């Protein structure tokens, strides 16, 4: 599989998260908790997801994090101590006191069937852990911040007229090995007044988004996929669906770009990479907990419209490339993840140059979008409010002559690699 095909899959898989978010959220597996590589056991009361937040039984969480646990039944006050760190909590109060300082929690401690539950992400942050979610195993993973950071990534800084923009080139898909992120990335988020993303994928399951997917991605004229692709391509698709326990015509209602995205999602999941563990969703979740304003640089309409606007030939070529390589465990996918984790600028540039070999694909996927996003970022840099922005978009949007970094430099800004 060539680098161009990999690049297309990883960029488009942001849309795959959009298309199939409801299936992910409906997964039947129980939620698990892992701390520094060790799975935590629960006696009768497991973690739960409530309004998008993962809640964990309080006593088991304190024990798993090696905190000495004290509880005053009369005052409803709970105190945990560990290595000079003291955290105090009170039922019904959505703030903790950490070494005398008040720290906001994403929700108050909550009673469920007589057991007190805590929001694991905000408590883990307060206790000195990185917290993230592995969708494949439905596991909340906590890693001590003392563990060496795995994800250097691609981070740049731009300042102008009292405003600062951090540019983070993202991986839309990731796994547990990406975390903790490099301290410079976390610091950029802590400074930020706004989080900017391509689209807010937390809205993926909204009825309006799903309706748009069906409107653009499914045939509306009575034809089916079989009428729009070659017999050879259709036969290959049917064989792969059958091998995966699905009817050969399971995706007949959808256009080639939707089918490609579906198969790319299945293919990537075999390697362990998930959108739910991606860099974008990691920061979207943290921004929601901080109540940080979220800015969308694009829209679902523009992204879905871009894929829908690909020529029939390009749609079939992309689909056929996935079909031809579907059963291969491609080392290049891991190589791309390693590229991100080590912040390998040369490898990123090579990937972007490979994508540029198809003029139609390159113009739609990168050139036009990069120009539009750069114009919005320029607006932030020239704003009147002296604000800090963390902009998180796919890493391939950053590199090369057509990348956002170079486009900003051409506008006269100084962009510094972090």
């Amino acid at each position: 599989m060539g680098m161009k095909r990999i690049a297309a899959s990883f960029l488009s898989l942001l849309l795959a998260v959009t298309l199939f978010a409801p299936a992910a959220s409906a997964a039947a597996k129980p939620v698990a908790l892992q701390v520094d590589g060790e799975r935590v056991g629960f006696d009768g009361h497991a973690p739960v997801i409530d309004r998008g937040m993962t809640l964990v039984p309080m006593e088991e969480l304190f024990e798993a994090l090696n905190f000495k646990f004290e509880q005053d039944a009369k005052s409803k006050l709970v105190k945990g101590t560990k290595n000079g760190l003291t955290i105090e909590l009170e039922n019904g109060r959505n703030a903790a006191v950490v070494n005398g300082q008040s720290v906001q929690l994403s929700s108050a401690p909550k009673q469920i069937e007589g057991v007190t539950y805590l929001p694991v992400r905000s408590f883990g942050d307060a206790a000195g852990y990185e917290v993230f979610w592995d969708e494949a195993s439905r596991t909340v993973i906590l890693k001590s911040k003392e563990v060496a950071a795995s994800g250097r990534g691609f981070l740049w800084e731009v300042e102008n007229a009292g405003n600062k923009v951090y540019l983070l080139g993202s991986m839309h898909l990731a796994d547990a090995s990406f975390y903790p992120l490099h301290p410079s990335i976390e610091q950029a988020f802590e400074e930020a007044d706004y989080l900017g993303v391509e689209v807010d994928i937390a809205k993926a399951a909204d009825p309006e988004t799903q309706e748009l997917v069906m409107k653009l991605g499914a045939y509306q004229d009575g034809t089916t996929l079989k009428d729009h692709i070659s017999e050879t391509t259709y036969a290959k698709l049917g064989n792969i669906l059958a091998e995966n326990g699905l009817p050969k015509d399971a995706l007949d209602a959808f256009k080639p770009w939707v089918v490609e995205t579906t198969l790319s999602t299945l293919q990537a999941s075999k390697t362990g990479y998930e959108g739910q563990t991606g860099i974008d969703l990691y920061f979207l979740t943290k921004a929601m907990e901080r109540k940080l304003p979220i800015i969308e640089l694009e829209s679902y309409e523009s992204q879905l419209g871009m894929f829908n606007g690909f020529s029939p030939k390009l749609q079939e070529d992309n689909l056929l490339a996935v079909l031809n390589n579907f059963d291969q465990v491609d080392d290049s996918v891991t190589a791309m993840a390693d590229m991100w984790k080590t912040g390998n600028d040369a490898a990123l540039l090579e990937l972007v140059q490979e994508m540029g070999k198809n003029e139609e694909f390159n113009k739609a996927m990168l050139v036009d979008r990069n120009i539009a996003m750069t114009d919005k970022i320029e607006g932030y840099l020239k704003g009147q409010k002296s604000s800090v922005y963390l902009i998180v978009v796919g890493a391939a949007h950053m590199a090369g002559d057509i990348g956002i970094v170079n486009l900003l430099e051409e506008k006269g800004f100084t962009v510094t690699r972090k």
Side-chain angles (χ1 to χ4, degrees), residues 361-396:
F361 182 86
N362 187 55
K363 185 176 187 301
M365 184 68 84
L366 292 180
V367 176
D368 293 345
R369 296 171 67 199
N370 290 356
I371 291 171
M373 287 193 281
T374 300
D375 288 343
K376 288 194 173 183
I377 293 167
E378 180 183 17
Y380 307 149
L381 286 165
K382 293 182 176 179
Q384 303 298 312
K385 294 173 62 177
S386 297
S387 300
V388 179
Y389 300 78
L390 174 61
I391 305 297
V392 183
V393 299

Side-chain angles (χ1 to χ4, degrees), residues 14 23 40 53 60 75 84 99 133-134 147 165 171 194 206 246 294 313 359 363 365 370 381 384 389 416:
L14 174 59
V40 178
M53 289 180 293
E60 284 92 338
S75 67
N99 284 353
W133 170 256
D134 179 58
V147 176
V165 170
M171 282 280 288
Y194 298 90
D206 288 357
L246 297 169
I294 297 168
K313 182 180 186 306
E359 184 176 352
K363 185 176 187 301
M365 184 68 84
N370 290 356
L381 286 165
Q384 303 298 312
Y389 300 78
T416 305

Side-chain angles (χ1 to χ4, degrees), residues 102-399:
S102 181
V103 174
Q104 194 74 14
L105 299 174
S106 53
S107 72
K110 183 176 183 177
Q111 288 281 320
I112 301 176
E113 297 180 356
V115 174
T116 301
Y117 281 71
L118 299 179
V120 66
R121 180 176 292 277
S122 52
F123 183 83
D125 283 341
Y129 289 80
E130 295 285 354
V131 186
F132 55 99
W133 170 256
D134 179 58
E135 174 63 22
S137 60
R138 286 177 60 81
T139 301
V140 180
I141 299 173
L142 280 72
K143 283 189 178 181
S144 303
K145 290 182 179 178
E146 290 79 9
V147 176
S150 296
R152 179 179 182 229
F154 299 94
L155 183 67
W156 292 264
E157 180 182 339
V158 197
E159 292 190 71
N160 183 73
N163 297 292
K164 182 187 293 186
V165 170
Y166 289 105
L167 303 168
L168 177 61
S170 172
M171 282 280 288
H172 300 313
L173 299 167
D175 64 10
S177 67
F178 280 66
Y179 301 90
L181 299 177
H182 194 276
S184 62
I185 297 177
E186 294 288 1
Q187 181 59 39
F189 176 76
E190 292 302 319
E191 290 182 33
D193 302 305
Y194 298 90
L195 174 69
V197 291
E198 294 175 33
V199 294
D200 184 352
I201 56 177
K203 299 176 182 177
D206 288 357
E208 298 82 0
T209 305
Q210 295 299 305
E211 183 179 347
L212 182 63
V213 170
M214 294 303 298
K215 178 181 177 181
L216 293 179
Y219 291 108
Q220 311 292 332
D221 59 1
T223 63
T224 68
L225 179 67
K226 191 174 183 179
D227 301 313
H228 295 270
I229 59 177
S230 71
E231 290 183 10
T232 301
T233 303
Y234 186 77
K236 287 184 177 182
L237 171 63
N239 290 336
I240 285 176
L241 292 175
E243 289 167 4
N244 286 270
L246 297 169
K248 288 189 174 184
D249 61 355
L251 298 175
D252 272 16
F254 297 100
K255 297 178 182 179
W257 67 267
V258 177
V259 179
E260 179 217 342
T261 301
T262 306
L263 296 179
S264 294
T265 306
L266 294 173
Q267 192 177 42
S269 68
K270 291 182 178 182
T271 69
Y273 296 101
E274 298 282 349
Q276 296 294 328
T277 322
I279 308 302
D280 313 72
L281 194 56
Y282 172 79
F283 281 113
L284 279 165
T285 302
K286 294 188 74 168
M288 287 186 283
E289 290 176 351
R290 265 185 62 188
K291 295 182 170 56
L292 198 69
I294 297 168
I295 301 168
E296 295 179 290
L297 277 70
E298 300 183 302
S299 67
Y300 283 106
E301 290 84 352
S302 67
Q303 285 203 348
L304 291 168
M306 174 195 67
F307 284 93
N308 194 47
F310 283 166
S311 68
K313 182 180 186 306
L314 180 58
Q315 288 195 41
E316 183 165 355
D317 285 349
N318 286 345
L319 172 57
L320 191 58
V322 173
L323 294 172
N324 287 339
N325 295 279
F326 186 79
D327 292 323
Q328 297 181 16
V329 180
D330 200 317
D331 290 340
S332 297
V333 178
T334 301
M336 188 173 177
D338 290 341
M339 173 197 73
W340 193 91
K341 287 186 281 188
T342 58
N344 189 330
D345 296 277
L348 179 61
L349 179 59
E350 179 186 353
L351 184 147
V352 171
Q353 289 171 341
E354 287 291 331
M355 293 176 66
K357 291 181 178 179
N358 183 299
E359 184 176 352
E360 179 189 356
F361 182 86
N362 187 55
K363 185 176 187 301
M365 184 68 84
L366 292 180
V367 176
D368 293 345
R369 296 171 67 199
N370 290 356
I371 291 171
M373 287 193 281
T374 300
D375 288 343
K376 288 194 173 183
I377 293 167
E378 180 183 17
Y380 307 149
L381 286 165
K382 293 182 176 179
Q384 303 298 312
K385 294 173 62 177
S386 297
S387 300
V388 179
Y389 300 78
L390 174 61
I391 305 297
V392 183
V393 299
H397 291 291
M398 297 297 182

